Amino acid sequence: MRPKSIAVIIVAAGKGERAGTNGDRVPKQYRPVGGEPVLSRTIRAFLAVDAISHVVTVIHPDHAQLYDGLALADARLLPPVSGAQSRQGSVLAGLKALAPLRPALVLIQDAARPFVSPALIHTVIAALAQHEGALPTLPVTDTIKRSLGDGLVAATEDRRQLFAAQTPQGFRFGQIFSAHMRAETIRRDFTDDAEIAEWAGLSVAMVEGERDNIKITHPEDFSRAERILMANHGTETRIGTGYDVHPFAPGDAVWLCGVKIPHKAKLQGHSDADVALHALTDAILGAIGEGDIGTHFPPSDMQWKGAASGVFLRHAGELVKQRGGRIVNLDVTIVAEAPRIAAHVPAMCAAIAETLGISAARVAVKATTNEKLGFIGREEGIVSMASASVELPRID
C-alpha cells in the first residue's frame, strides 16, 4: 500500500424515492443518464484519478443484483458493503470496511453526483494538506427566508454567509473515523460528514465547488443531467461498419445474432461462427476506433475455439461504456438463401439488446437473399453486413 493512500466511500444505500422510479422501480442511482447508470458514472469519476487507491461503494442490501449489473472492473474497486437506514450509518459502514487498509485520507461522495470532475477531486485532496477536513461549496445566490412553520416570514438570512455544500467531502481517515464512532453512540441525526467533523472539533475548509456537480434528487434532475452532458460533456456521433462471411460445413444448425436456427448445415469458423454478431462486433469496434474482432480475439488463440460470439459483442459494448459513450442504434443485414430468417428476427433483436444492455428498439435485423447468384446463391455460405451508431464524448 502506498504510504499516503487515498480511499473513497461512495454512498449509494438509499432507495432514491424522491427521484421517482421512471415506472420501472429502479432506484435513481441505477437509472441511466446518457445511457449509463448514475452510480457507474460516479464510480468511474474517481477511478479515473490515479491518486485514488481504493473505492468502496455502500449499497442497499436489496440492490446487490443491480450493483453487480454495473459490471465495473478495477483492482482498486473493493466489494460493496451493505449500508444502514441513515446516511450517517452507511458512511460508518464504509469507514469500517476501509479501516483494515488504513488509508491516510478518505473522500466521501454522494452516489447521485455523477459529474464530479477530476479537478474538484484534486482540489479537495490538496486542501487536506493544511486542514483536517475539506468540502466543496457554492455561494447561495437566492434570498433565503426563515419561517417558524406558520407560513409567514420570520426573518431574512444574510446570504453572504450562506453556502451550499457538495461532495466529495475529504478528511484525514483516522479523525473522521473516530468522529463517526463517537457520533454513533451520542447523536445520529447528522446530515453530512462535514457536520460530524464540526461537531467533533475538526477544522473544515471550504473549497470552490462546481455548478455542474449536481445531486440528482427529483425527477426533473434527470433532464437537467442530460442537458449537462450535452452542453458541457458534449458528444459526437461515430459510425462504424462491419462485414463478415462464413462457409457452410456439415451440421444441423446455424448461430445467427445469438439465436440457434435449425438447418441442414452449420457455419464453419473458429468460434460458433455467428457471422452476424461478428459483423456487428466489427461495426461497434470500428465506430470507436478499436480495430476489428481479430485484434481482440485472434483465431490463433485456442481459448476462443467454439466460443459464443456474444462474448465478442459484449466486449465491444463494454469498450463503448469505458469511453463514456453509448450505442444509439445497430443495423444488421443477413444475406442467405437459407435458412429463412424472418420468423427469428424478434428473438435476434432481443438477444443483441440483452447482450449489450440496450433497448431492443435500438436494434434492427434484416434478411435478404442473393437471388440465387454467386456462392450465396449456391448455398455455400452466409454473408452479413452491419452498421453501428455510437455517441462518444467529443474530441476537440
Side-chain angles (χ1 to χ4, degrees), residues 58 68 70 82 103 145 169 177 190 200 207 217 222 263 277 284 296 344 380-381:
V58 185
D68 290 344
L70 300 180
S82 294
K145 302 293 184 179
Q169 298 181 4
F177 189 20
F190 291 101
V207 300
T217 304
F222 281 93
H263 189 50
L277 289 194
I284 296 173
H296 298 265
H344 302 282
E380 296 174 1

Side-chain angles (χ1 to χ4, degrees), residues 8-11 33 36-49 52 55 107-125 134-138 165-170 207-216 225 228-229 232-233:
V8 178
I9 297 171
I10 297 178
V11 189
V33 168
E36 180 179 5
V38 171
L39 178 55
S40 176
R41 286 187 178 276
T42 305
I43 293 172
R44 286 197 307 104
F46 286 90
L47 293 177
V49 176
I52 301 301
V55 176
L107 307 182
I108 303 171
Q109 169 76 1
D110 294 327
R113 292 188 188 270
F115 301 136
V116 57
S117 72
L120 183 57
I121 294 170
H122 283 296
T123 297
V124 172
I125 292 171
L135 79 155
T137 63
L138 290 175
Q166 298 182 335
T167 63
Q169 298 181 4
V207 300
E208 185 176 357
E210 296 175 337
R211 294 291 174 188
D212 287 349
N213 186 25
I214 65 168
K215 183 178 181 181
I216 297 175
I228 289 173
L229 275 178
N232 298 333
H233 305 262

